[in-house]
Amino acid sequence: MTKEKVVLATPAPGTGLPAAMLLCLPMMLITLMMLSRGNFPSEPASMLAFGATYFFVNGLFLMMIRTGNTDRWRAILFVTYAVCFVISFITHLIEARGSMALTESNMIEGLTPFCHVVIPMTLIPAALTKTIIFPGTLLGTKTAIASMFVLWIGSSLALGRGFCSWFCFFGGLDDGFSRLFKTARIRTIHPRWTYLPFAILLLVVLVSALTLAPFYCQWLCPFKTTTEYPEITSLKTALQAMVFMSLFVALVLVLPALTRRRTQCGLFCPMGAFQSLTNAINVFDVRIDPEKCRSCKKCISVCPSFSMSEDTLAKGKSALTCMKCGRCLDACPEGAIFYHLKGTPLNPKRAEVGRRLFLYPAYLFLATMAGAPIQDAIVKIIRLFTTGRLI
Amino acid sequence: MRMEGFILGLSSGVLCAAACAPVLIPYLLGEGRGIALNAWLTLQFLAGRLFGYLVFGLLACAASLSLSTRGAHGDWIIGGAYVFFSALLISYGFFRQEASRRKSCFVNRCQKWIPVARPALLPCLAGLITGLSFCPPLMLAFAGAAARSGLGESLLYFLSFFAGTSVLFVFAPFAGALKRFPVARTVGKLAAGVMGVYYFYSGSMMILGGLLR
Amino acid sequence: MNRLKSMIGYTWAILAVLIAPATFLGHGALSRTLADVTGVTVHPRYSGGEVVSRIDHGPYSTSIHRPVFDALVGKSKEGFVQMTWAPASALPEWIEEPIDYNRDGRVDFTVALNTGSGEVWLVKSHPTVVAPVKSYRLSDGWAVRVRLIRRP
């Protein structure tokens, strides 16, 4: 069996440095406002963290504009964001509660941070009972239920399933592991498995509604391993912890590394399946220029979400599950794949306009979401080196 | 808990709809007499299925009575049945994508038969026949109903299972809505497989409970 | 028509650029608006339900929440009632308290709680009371949930 090496294609015609800088200026101004939230830090470690994050974020955007590559630079920030999120979240939990374990007392006090993956499970009970089936608080914190709903609505309106590659704080983990090896060890995955997230979505939505408990969080979420998990007090909670860890190892560490795909996002995550539905109404999509396409199928082999197939190539657009990460755009040797605005004429010559119009909102979401955890993680790492303590 | 039967039914609902649709939908399309008549025919079909399920409920009750005298052994037997049938369901849902074609000889027979003969209450008979197919979700429901005590509980379990499996039939009168049938079938099979994993866990816990007792 | 579609496409794309900062900057106000408009609350299974009576014991007080039987549709057969004692600093080591959860003027059960160990005892005086579910040490007090069944 031949192993395919993924080589980045020649980028789209680059933009000169002055023009690229000019195009980055709006991003530099907005991220300055977003990352500082109006208060520039005065403590040295925080100042250093702020400066480093600001230049890192804007440097990557500059490269994105200048080189014409999207995924290459997006992935660096996305993976860094996920790693820093884990560091920041766990240390916060330990500072606040003394442990990553979530006790029943924490739950009845509404101290469980709400995560976007719960959203589909809450919709039927919310419609029928006007209540949210989650042991969190509605308002008042950044991880409160209403806050996460607002972020989800905003990002879904702007990006559709681009949410999974430009917003989600978990996605960077399997994205990172999917880049661990240069070649894929497992190359063929039966297409029927790509429907599994929809099956899981169907089940978790129904079971959660009927049991009035977020079933996915209780039994299936691999990311409990890197955030918080129910305190182990019984055989049941021990089993739950085992399930979380097994799924994490299989879907976030091993399979992405072996397949070079985002297996958790593409083959398991019910939120991903749910977000696919938002792609249907979102303005941005990924199209293939049939005149340029040589059917080399490189896009099929690199697509992390299994959204490119011979069928989609024939149709000239990616599947509904597309995460708009841009990996296929970067990989296409002919530059035949491009971001497109629905309703506008298919003009590959204006592809860069569509790309930039997508990149501004997408990167703003990513930069703003990533900013706080990256700064926090840097501060904590500085603390670790200077005082020997992370917490 | 009756909810359990309903959830199992719901999770298998897409699968049941997928299994029954080849019988029901061509019939409805063939009749083509509008939504109201289609709804009436669907109701007849569902009544047939309900009758089939209640027969299973009675059998499950008989099994339950013979198990109730066996104490902890009853847990092992029911737990074992859960594990066995859920393993079948997992295999059916995840790995044997062609299984339904082989399994549903009843369905194939009905499919050939229905366009030729259309006597009154034929949909009812077709429903009964498809309801009596020995598919893994139904077998799992059988094990679940056998774990209840008494005739009423077993029948209620099958009734709730029936209700769960019938939710999608609400759409049957609008037959055109099931055009994307192959995708629904794939998703339904996978959902049933995931549900099988849950039942595998439940069965294992029952066996463990029986061993520790 | 094509021109109109094209205009809508570009408008939405530009709106998307505005949505991004607006989502973060208007985050607090939007969250409050969303909660107000939808009128949703946290399900009482998690929050314990609204407090319906408060018994003042001087240094500390007992809050009795409404019995929770809320199901997806209608009421479920089993439920619970939650009692909360606060503040933690003023709680005696041993609390023993008769509770009238359905407010019919008669004691339904007497609950006893060891605030050191969290052990809980229950004396039932009403057929709908089943057993204590568990005691929970809160950030500023203790809570106990007692399992109930609904009267047929």
Side-chain angles (χ1 to χ4, degrees), chain A residues 321-353:
Chain A
T321 48
C322 177
M323 296 191 237
K324 301 170 192 172
C325 62
R327 210 189 277 193
C328 56
L329 276 82
D330 288 2
C332 181
E334 302 301 317
I337 307 176
F338 56 96
Y339 288 114
H340 165 253
L341 309 182
K342 286 178 192 165
T344 64
L346 278 173
N347 184 358
K349 285 179 189 154
R350 289 176 62 83
E352 189 57 17
V353 175

Side-chain angles (χ1 to χ4, degrees), chain A residues 3 6 18 25 69 74 79 109 115 120 130 138 146 160 172 210 212 241 253 265 280 283 297 311 331 355 366:
Chain A
K3 288 176 181 171
V6 177
L25 200 61
N69 279 321
R74 179 203 64 86
V79 175
E109 280 195 289
C115 127
K130 286 185 91 174
L138 205 59
L210 293 169
L212 293 175
L253 306 185
C265 309
V283 72
K297 295 173 191 169
D311 273 358
R355 178 175 169 269
L366 178 57

